Amino acid sequence: MSANEATRAGAEAASDGYEDLYDVIVLGGGPTGENLADRVHAAGLSAVLVEHELVGGECSYWACMPSKALLRPVTARSEARRVPGVPDAVDGPLDAPAVLAHRDAFASHWKDDGQVRWLDGVGIDLVRGRGRLAGPRKVVVDGGRTLHARHAVAVCTGSRPVLPDVPGLVAAKPWTSREATSSGRVPGRLVIVGGGVVGVEMATAWRALGSAVTLLVRGDGLLPRMEPFAGHLVAESLAEAGVFLRTGVAVREVRREAPGGPVTVLLDGAGEGAGDGEIVADELLIATGRAPRTEDLGLETVGLTPGGWLEVDDTLRVTGVPGGWLYGAGDVNHRALLTHQGKYQARIAGAAIAARARGVPLLETDRWGAHTASADRHAVPQVVFTDPEAASVGLTAAEAERAGHRVRVVDHDLGAVAGASLYADGYRGRARMVVDLDREVLLGATFVGPGVGELLHAATVAVAGEVPVERLWHAVPAYPTISEVWLRLLEAYRDEGA
């Protein structure tokens, strides 16, 4: 359906007496949905947000904000202990109640009043309830209210944790990422299953707060989506902090005799650091994967399969839906399950929806065009807020080689940079850049070390901007800062190519 046809259809809908008629309906009030609604509203279109939980979504209440509020006191204390003259001032354990209260404040005490006030302030309507598609450009909300869209419906419902098919697991009521970031008490013994971001961040936080943590990983290392050295350095630090890491193991069965009582985890595979084939803990956190929240959205009414990831094009329009009115942004499309990427996709989708509504004949869908989510493929940044931090953007060396690029990998010891030595005694870290030899631009970069998250945006600009290596020589890092590692990487690249 063209934009003109959509406009005519909308006018016909209005003439048929539809009262709840909007240009754009957004399903899901998390960061992605909020940003998409904001973008189309700023472009002059009317928008309504449909949300059955808290406005602000997973990130605000059960993910980004509460988890980082738990982690910041951990890393601040750790870094302070490595600065001469300071350790005695920060001796002793963390004040767990104060840390949890700090976390509660950053999660707005699980109330969304502030987010709702923001919606009211910018002029975006909010409908409370679960919205389901009921055919083209039509959404039915719990309670019987029916909304109609002139131009687009955007699915921004995010993803949810998945529990693997393990006997006894569901009945044991394990923690998922939600409980791990919102618990009001520190468990004495915590078993975490999964070596990805949630697993390592929560191992870092709860161990520092006093839990005896065991981390179980099916593979042979941590953070498998990053450069291998990232997982190695984080594993070393976790072990030094007292986390018991077991690799090469899988959970065979879970038993919990009474609600809230001890949980027994039975294992398959000896694994590194193996002891007994079972572990008893007070809580069990499962952090092994996520699934899209699309199982109850009425996708079947528009020819799609409920419960699956939404396949979208680079303008975030769902493929296979006649008329091109359905969009999927954020986790639901499985392109990059990160809050900042969902917000980025929302900006791209919002621009594309607005352009099509105006009848723009040709969208900017070239590489890095205004209506193309190119960063999802070429420049996804991520920070893992462990101690040390791990930060990356773009392709790893292995990914670049698999993609057929001719690359050179350049590594440097971050601890050898003057700024790092000043930052902390015994600073341990590593930096890597992956260079495309044919175009002499960066394809990716990875940093591991205290505070490296703040180095990442410079790398992101270099990767997304496809800045030539020869131009990076003119981006002079301030001395003495950790960012001087850029100069060292460029020097190593030059010397290796001499």
Side-chain angles (χ1 to χ4, degrees), residues 47-80:
V48 59
L49 203 65
V50 182
E51 176 55 63
H52 74 283
E53 289 191 300
L54 297 175
V55 178
E58 202 79 9
C59 174
S60 298
Y61 308 104
W62 302 286
C64 316
M65 297 309 291
S67 66
K68 278 53 185 180
L70 287 173
L71 287 158
R72 180 55 190 150
V74 178
T75 56
R77 180 184 66 161
S78 175
E79 292 171 8

Side-chain angles (χ1 to χ4, degrees), residues 375-461:
D376 288 343
R377 303 186 189 281
H378 307 293
V380 174
Q382 181 173 23
V383 180
V384 184
F385 290 86
T386 42
D387 176 25
E389 291 178 351
S392 67
V393 64
L395 303 179
T396 64
E399 289 170 340
E401 289 172 354
R402 284 197 298 269
H405 296 287
R406 193 170 64 91
V407 301
R408 179 179 299 156
V409 176
V410 183
D411 290 332
H412 192 75
D413 176 7
L414 260 177
V417 175
S421 300
L422 289 167
Y423 193 93
D425 281 355
Y427 188 109
R428 286 184 295 173
R430 186 172 174 185
R432 168 173 290 182
M433 68 178 187
V434 180
V435 181
D436 182 334
L437 289 174
D438 294 321
R439 294 186 298 148
E440 291 220 315
V441 297
L442 267 63
L443 295 173
T446 299
F447 308 95
V448 181
V452 297
E454 298 302 331
L455 291 178
L456 188 61
H457 194 60
T460 303
V461 170

Side-chain angles (χ1 to χ4, degrees), residues 20-399:
D20 285 329
L21 180 64
Y22 294 89
D23 291 320
V24 181
I25 300 170
V26 180
L27 300 180
T32 300
E34 289 178 316
N35 275 266
L36 198 152
D38 184 48
R39 287 299 85 211
V40 296
H41 181 267
L45 302 179
S46 61
V48 59
L49 203 65
V50 182
E51 176 55 63
H52 74 283
E53 289 191 300
L54 297 175
V55 178
E58 202 79 9
C59 174
S60 298
Y61 308 104
W62 302 286
C64 316
M65 297 309 291
S67 66
K68 278 53 185 180
L70 287 173
L71 287 158
R72 180 55 190 150
V74 178
T75 56
R77 180 184 66 161
S78 175
E79 292 171 8
R81 284 176 165 176
R82 299 170 192 157
V83 179
V86 179
D88 288 346
V90 292
D91 195 21
L94 290 173
D95 182 342
V99 173
L100 296 181
H102 172 70
R103 182 272 318 273
D104 293 352
F106 270 88
S108 300
H109 299 278
W110 292 274
K111 296 179 181 179
D112 62 2
D113 299 7
Q115 301 280 3
V116 173
R117 284 195 298 272
W118 174 80
L119 288 176
D120 290 342
V122 297
I124 298 170
D125 286 354
L126 170 65
V127 174
R128 297 280 193 179
R130 189 182 299 274
R132 298 174 180 85
L133 294 168
R137 295 181 293 108
K138 181 179 178 180
V139 171
V140 175
V141 184
D142 290 342
R145 186 172 179 181
T146 300
L147 308 175
H148 299 266
R150 291 189 183 91
H151 299 297
V153 176
V155 178
C156 306
T157 49
S159 63
R160 56 178 173 80
V162 173
L163 296 182
D165 186 14
V166 172
L169 182 59
V170 173
K173 297 188 181 303
W175 280 5
T176 66
S177 53
R178 283 199 168 194
E179 291 77 20
T181 56
S182 63
S183 175
R185 63 180 182 85
V186 179
R189 300 163 297 177
L190 174 63
V191 170
I192 301 175
V193 180
V197 176
V198 172
V200 297
E201 287 192 345
M202 291 300 94
T204 301
W206 289 110
R207 176 66 194 118
L209 288 169
S211 293
V213 176
T214 300
L215 183 58
L216 305 177
V217 181
R218 181 186 292 271
D220 59 1
L222 305 179
L223 301 175
R225 296 177 180 270
M226 301 183 95
E227 297 282 9
F229 67 82
H232 295 159
L233 288 169
V234 170
E236 286 180 4
S237 179
L238 286 173
E240 290 172 1
V243 173
F244 182 33
L245 172 63
R246 294 180 64 172
T247 59
V249 296
V251 177
R252 171 166 48 88
E253 185 180 352
V254 175
R255 299 172 185 165
R256 194 170 218 165
E257 300 301 328
V263 58
T264 300
V265 182
L266 283 72
L267 305 176
D268 275 336
E272 182 180 339
D276 295 333
E278 67 178 46
I279 305 172
V280 179
D282 298 294
E283 292 294 349
L284 168 64
L285 164 60
I286 303 296
T288 55
R290 301 187 70 82
R293 294 184 183 274
T294 59
E295 67 277 8
D296 191 24
L297 289 181
L299 294 178
E300 68 279 1
T301 69
V302 296
L304 299 176
T305 303
W309 303 101
L310 295 181
E311 184 176 339
V312 299
D313 62 20
D314 280 347
T315 69
L316 289 312
R317 187 161 60 173
V318 178
T319 60
V321 177
W325 54 271
L326 186 64
Y327 290 73
D331 283 10
V332 292
N333 60 40
H334 207 235
R335 288 168 67 104
L337 276 66
L338 295 160
T339 295
H340 46 272
Q341 289 302 122
K343 293 162 71 173
Y344 162 73
Q345 291 175 16
R347 296 190 293 271
I348 299 296
I353 291 169
R356 287 175 173 135
R358 293 194 304 269
V360 173
L362 186 64
L363 269 62
E364 296 178 35
T365 56
D366 54 305
R367 182 180 172 94
W368 307 113
H371 307 115
T372 303
S374 306
D376 288 343
R377 303 186 189 281
H378 307 293
V380 174
Q382 181 173 23
V383 180
V384 184
F385 290 86
T386 42
D387 176 25
E389 291 178 351
S392 67
V393 64
L395 303 179
T396 64
E399 289 170 340

